[in-house]
């Protein structure tokens, strides 16, 4: 996908929705890669013993999966200049069936510096799992009438 350009994005534009399926194997792989070996992410008995409904996905994994909706839309992961969220509810990953994470996004603000704020809604099993999930994306320069680009938004070449 090509990077959206200044003048081509408006408040209310929706990003293509993203659905990601997580399995227990995904959690074990993420634990190994990240070094977060907390047993709440892979040992069902331990997770339940500390009051969790089941094994839960790593919050940073959920956060990372959610921003894929933005990077896919932006066409360049480097276009994301800021991204933040709050963890509001764990993503329980069942032994059989795993879990699905659903992500939708909308352009909430268009700024004069050539960036836009995208607000994300991230759910699993019908519950919101990330709160105030927001990304700021630098748009591509506006195309000129001759087919080139006009200047550089925000003074960045």
């Amino acid at each position: 996908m090509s990077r959206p350009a200044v003048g081509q994005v408006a408040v209310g534009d929706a990003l293509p929705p993203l659905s990601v399926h997580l399995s227990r194997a995904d959690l074990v792989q993420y634990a190994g890669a990240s070094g977060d070996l907390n047993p709440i992410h892979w040992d069902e008995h331990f997770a339940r013993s500390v009051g969790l409904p089941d094994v839960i996905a790593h919050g940073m994994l959920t956060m990372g999966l959610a921003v894929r909706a933005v990077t896919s839309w932006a066409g360049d992961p480097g276009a994301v200049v800021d991204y933040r969220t709050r963890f509001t509810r764990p993503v329980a990953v069942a032994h059989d069936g795993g879990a699905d994470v659903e992500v939708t996004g909308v352009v909430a603000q268009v700024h004069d510096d050539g960036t836009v704020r995208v607000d994300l809604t991230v759910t699993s099993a019908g519950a919101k799992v990330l709160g105030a999930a927001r990304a700021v994306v630098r748009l591509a320069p506006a195309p000129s009438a001759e087919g080139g680009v006009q200047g550089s938004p925000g003074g960045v070449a």
Side-chain angles (χ1 to χ4, degrees):
M1 175 176 279
S2 65
R3 191 165 161 189
V6 170
Q8 298 176 332
V9 178
V11 170
D13 287 356
L15 279 61
L18 173 70
S19 179
V20 179
H21 182 77
L22 286 174
S23 69
R24 294 268 178 99
D26 295 324
L27 301 185
V28 170
Q29 290 172 347
Y30 184 84
S34 70
D36 181 352
L37 304 176
N38 188 326
I40 63 173
H41 301 301
W42 52 269
D43 184 329
E44 186 174 323
H45 176 74
F46 183 84
R48 290 184 189 276
S49 76
V50 296
L52 294 169
D54 206 329
V55 165
I56 62 169
H58 304 72
M60 294 302 287
L61 174 59
T62 305
M63 183 179 175
L65 292 172
V67 80
R68 282 180 29 197
V70 178
T71 59
S72 294
W73 173 75
D76 176 5
V80 177
V81 297
D82 187 58
Y83 175 51
R84 58 189 69 202
T85 189
R86 285 185 248 141
F87 305 117
T88 57
R89 185 176 292 233
V91 175
V93 180
H95 181 270
D96 297 320
D100 293 317
V101 176
E102 310 293 337
V103 184
T104 59
V106 65
V107 175
Q109 294 177 343
V110 176
H111 305 132
D112 291 338
D113 66 354
T115 62
V116 295
R117 189 186 90 203
V118 175
D119 291 354
L120 298 174
T121 300
V122 184
T123 61
S124 183
K128 197 171 182 178
V129 296
L130 296 179
R134 295 178 175 167
V136 175
V137 177
R138 178 157 312 282
L139 301 173
S144 70
E146 297 82 34
V149 296
Q150 296 177 336
S152 177
V156 177

